[in-house]
Amino acid sequence: MGRARKHHYVPQALQRYFRSAEGKIWYSERVDQGRFGKPEKRNTRSTFKARDYYTVLDDDGLSDRIERNFYGEMDDFLGQFLAEVHRALDDGSAPVVEGESLSSIRRVVIHLIARTPEFTSDFDEFGVGEEVLSNALADAIEANLDATEIEKIRSELEDRIRVRNFGRSIRTQAQAGPFSRIDEALKDFDVRFAQSKGQHSFILSSLSAYRIGNGGHNGLSNPRTEIWLPISPKRALVLLKDPQKKIPMVVTEPRDHIRKVNEFAVSNSNEVASHSEKLLLSLLG
C-alpha cells in the first residue's frame, strides 16, 4: 500500500454525523486576519485535514505508521462506539459506558484534543528540527566520529525539507503520547450525554473536544471541569466527575448553554463545520 498523505485530525467517523441531508458538511476556516470565511458546502474527505500532518521519519524514510496504525485504529474504535451510542439513544435507552469501554473513550477524547493543530500551535517544526540536528552535529564533532558520519549530519542540517521532517516527526510522536499523567487524572471522570430536544444544535470544530471549567480553571484537577465532545448536531458526549452518581446518563440541554458551547468552539478553533449553513452564519457573524 502507498503511504497515506491526507491526514484528518477530526475523524471522518465523527464528521459523518454532522453532514446535511445531501451528505455534505458546511465548513469554514479562518482566512483573513483571524476572521472566518464564508461557509462552503464540502465533502468530509476535504475537511479538517492536512497533507502529511502525522508523517514521521523512520529508518526507511517517511512513514505513515502513526496515521495508519495508531490514529486509524483509534478512529475505527470511535466509529463503532458512536454507532452503538446513537443506536441506543435513537431507541430511547441510555447507553452504558463503563469498564474497558469507558477507559478507551477517555483516551480517545484526550487524543482528539492532542492531535489537533491548535494543541501544537506554538510548535515550530523547522526550529525544533534545526535544534535537534545542530545538537547532533555538535555531539558528533565532540565525540570525534568518522568524517563521513559528521558530513551526513551536516548535509541533513543544510536540507530545509529534511530539517522540517525531523521537527514534524518529533511533534507527531509527542502528540501521540503516551499521556500517563492525564490518564491518571481522568480515572474519576464518567461519561454522560447532553441532548437537544429543540431547534438548537451543536457544531463541530477543529478542537473536537472542549475543556470547560464552569466558573473555575479548566484543568483536570478542578472538580467542576467537564470535557464536551459534540457527537452530532443534537448530542454531545460529556466527561465529568459525578462521585455521587446523581447526574442522569442522558440530560436535556438548554438552548443557551448549547449556544455558549458553540461560541467557545468558534472563539478557540481555526475551523468549524455544521449540518446547517444558517447556524454557522449566526455564530460567525
Side-chain angles (χ1 to χ4, degrees):
M1 296 179 65
R3 175 165 60 88
R5 305 292 301 275
K6 186 188 296 182
H7 302 168
H8 286 86
Y9 33 85
V10 177
Q12 292 190 80
L14 178 57
Q15 290 190 56
R16 66 186 295 264
Y17 292 102
F18 291 82
R19 294 180 299 188
S20 65
E22 56 185 310
K24 303 286 186 178
I25 195 168
W26 288 98
Y27 170 84
S28 178
E29 60 184 355
R30 295 189 192 274
V31 293
D32 178 31
Q33 298 180 348
R35 291 190 292 268
F36 280 91
K38 183 179 178 180
E40 298 177 349
K41 193 185 299 183
R42 301 270 288 273
N43 190 298
T44 57
R45 290 193 300 272
S46 69
T47 53
F48 300 110
K49 53 85 180 173
R51 188 174 176 85
D52 285 321
Y53 189 63
Y54 302 120
T55 296
V56 294
L57 276 172
D58 283 344
D59 292 339
D60 296 329
L62 297 175
S63 169
D64 66 350
R65 61 179 174 81
I66 289 182
E67 163 66 13
R68 190 186 299 276
N69 301 330
F70 183 69
Y71 291 128
E73 290 185 10
M74 186 178 298
D75 295 351
D76 288 344
F77 166 81
L78 179 63
Q80 295 171 15
F81 176 87
L82 292 179
E84 293 175 10
V85 163
H86 286 303
R87 190 180 305 117
L89 291 170
D90 288 343
D91 291 341
S93 59
V96 177
V97 185
E98 56 188 14
E100 185 56 36
S101 179
L102 175 57
S103 298
S104 295
I105 198 60
R106 286 177 187 145
R107 294 191 198 102
V108 168
V109 170
I110 287 301
H111 281 286
L112 284 174
I113 295 172
R115 69 195 277 187
T116 66
E118 284 86 347
F119 188 78
T120 56
S121 59
D122 294 332
F123 190 95
D124 180 359
E125 291 180 351
F126 184 83
V128 170
E130 188 174 46
E131 180 180 357
V132 169
L133 287 171
S134 295
N135 290 338
L137 178 60
D139 290 343
I141 293 172
E142 183 178 352
N144 200 26
L145 294 186
D146 182 83
T148 303
E149 290 296 321
I150 292 175
E151 185 56 35
K152 178 182 177 183
I153 300 174
R154 182 175 282 115
S155 65
E156 288 183 328
L157 189 55
E158 293 172 354
D159 184 341
R160 293 185 63 86
I161 294 177
R162 184 72 170 173
V163 170
R164 182 169 181 247
N165 286 343
F166 264 101
R168 180 180 59 197
S169 188
I170 292 168
R171 185 261 301 158
T172 297
Q173 293 181 79
Q175 283 180 287
F179 301 116
S180 302
R181 292 176 62 184
I182 299 178
D183 286 341
E184 178 65 20
L186 280 177
K187 65 181 179 59
D188 295 325
F189 281 69
D190 290 320
V191 165
R192 298 291 185 267
F193 295 95
Q195 193 158 249
S196 169
K197 293 292 188 180
Q199 296 297 317
H200 34 290
S201 301
F202 294 102
I203 65 167
L204 185 64
S205 85
S206 49
L207 278 180
S208 294
Y210 326 127
R211 292 187 302 171
I212 297 175
N214 290 306
H217 65 82
N218 66 356
L220 299 180
S221 62
N222 176 7
R224 299 185 64 187
T225 289
E226 300 171 349
I227 302 177
W228 284 67
L229 170 67
I231 57 174
S232 80
K234 298 300 180 183
R235 292 167 183 157
L237 180 152
V238 185
L239 286 175
L240 49 74
K241 291 182 180 179
D242 182 22
Q244 305 303 319
K245 309 301 180 188
K246 293 182 178 180
I247 302 174
M249 182 59 74
V250 183
V251 177
T252 299
E253 201 63 20
R255 175 192 180 280
D256 289 349
H257 191 256
I258 292 177
R259 183 74 181 187
K260 287 182 179 179
V261 172
N262 286 340
E263 289 172 346
F264 181 91
V266 170
S267 296
N268 294 277
S269 305
N270 292 319
E271 301 160 75
V272 292
S274 172
H275 71 299
S276 165
E277 181 189 24
K278 181 179 178 180
L279 174 57
L280 271 193
L281 288 172
S282 75
L283 288 163
L284 301 181

